[in-house]
Amino acid sequence: FPRHDRGLSEEIIRQFQLGYNPEQRDSFTQQALEHQYSPEHLLQTGLSIQPEGSPRLMDRFRGRVIFPIHQPNGKISGFGGRILSSVSNIAKYVNSPESEIYHKSEVLYGLYFAREEIRQQSQVILVEGYLDVISLHQRGIKNVVSVSGTALSEYQVKTLARLAKKVVLLNDADKAGINASFNNTTERYRDWE
């Protein structure tokens, strides 16, 4: 995993199980096939894709830092990938596709690591992305989760309401962050402070 410019410690990289998929088109896919993972399994989990008209599989997350997405019980249900280069015509983030075990509207990234701290403080800090969660954890602020690029869903609200009485929105000060703040504070969430 290249630390890039985020100043992440080895300890936090290991804790959140971060990885890196090289730039090669199919380096992960080929390694997985060598370790007896079936092409069907790689396609179903979304780790590999098959471009239309091509007989070969390629890596979904190539050239990206990989963020395993943990369920509250610690099992991994999906992945997010963030590109390191500043190429403007490529999506910054790519996520696993919806599957039997991964439903993006039900995911709160970092909840597995934050749940006990949220309960103890009865407060949760809701941020925009994976790196926001990890950076705050590294600085000792552990009651933090992210909706990871989606609008806050009713399912996510109910999950947080079972753990905390107060939610603090901590979004970026750019246009997208300001819009997310307004979109995530509608009437249906008024029961929180």
Side-chain angles (χ1 to χ4, degrees):
F1 170 78
R3 290 188 202 182
H4 195 37
D5 59 354
R6 299 292 176 148
L8 300 181
S9 68
E10 290 293 331
E11 182 182 350
I12 205 79
I13 289 168
R14 276 196 289 280
Q15 179 185 347
F16 282 84
Q17 299 175 310
L18 305 184
Y20 179 71
N21 193 147
E23 290 278 352
Q24 291 172 259
R25 253 178 109 82
D26 62 354
S27 60
F28 167 80
T29 300
Q30 289 307 315
Q31 203 167 49
L33 292 171
E34 287 171 17
H35 285 87
Q36 308 305 311
Y37 287 93
S38 71
E40 295 77 24
H41 179 75
L42 296 174
L43 289 169
Q44 285 174 347
T45 58
L47 293 167
S48 300
I49 58 174
Q50 188 167 19
E52 195 172 323
S54 173
R56 294 187 57 148
L57 300 183
M58 62 183 271
D59 300 349
R60 175 181 299 273
F61 299 106
R62 67 188 172 119
R64 296 176 186 274
V65 174
I66 306 297
F67 300 87
I69 298 169
H70 297 82
Q71 297 174 7
N73 65 7
K75 291 184 179 177
I76 295 171
S77 61
F79 299 91
R82 185 188 191 284
I83 198 153
L84 292 179
S85 66
S86 57
V87 180
S88 60
N89 64 341
I90 297 175
K92 187 175 179 180
Y93 284 97
V94 173
N95 291 299
S96 293
E98 293 277 321
S99 69
E100 291 179 23
I101 62 169
Y102 177 68
H103 305 283
K104 193 170 183 179
S105 65
E106 296 178 5
V107 169
L108 287 161
Y109 180 77
L111 184 60
Y112 171 65
F113 302 102
R115 189 175 50 217
E116 290 311 311
E117 191 72 21
I118 292 169
R119 277 196 181 118
Q120 286 177 16
Q121 295 191 31
S122 194
Q123 174 179 292
V124 61
I125 299 169
L126 190 60
V127 296
E128 286 190 64
Y130 308 127
L131 284 171
D132 299 323
V133 170
I134 294 168
S135 295
L136 287 170
H137 267 263
Q138 182 167 282
R139 286 161 181 79
I141 302 168
K142 298 183 178 176
N143 60 324
V144 58
V145 298
S146 167
V147 292
S148 307
T150 63
L152 190 61
S153 71
E154 190 170 336
Y155 183 94
Q156 291 165 328
V157 168
K158 287 178 179 177
T159 300
L160 292 175
R162 287 193 295 270
L163 299 171
K165 291 186 176 160
K166 184 176 182 180
V167 175
V168 176
L169 293 177
L170 185 60
N171 290 331
D172 294 343
D174 59 12
K175 186 176 180 181
I178 292 166
N179 287 339
S181 294
F182 283 113
N183 291 339
N184 289 335
T185 55
T186 60
E187 278 283 309
R188 64 183 172 167
Y189 312 129
R190 69 182 182 281
D191 294 336
W192 275 322
E193 294 179 30

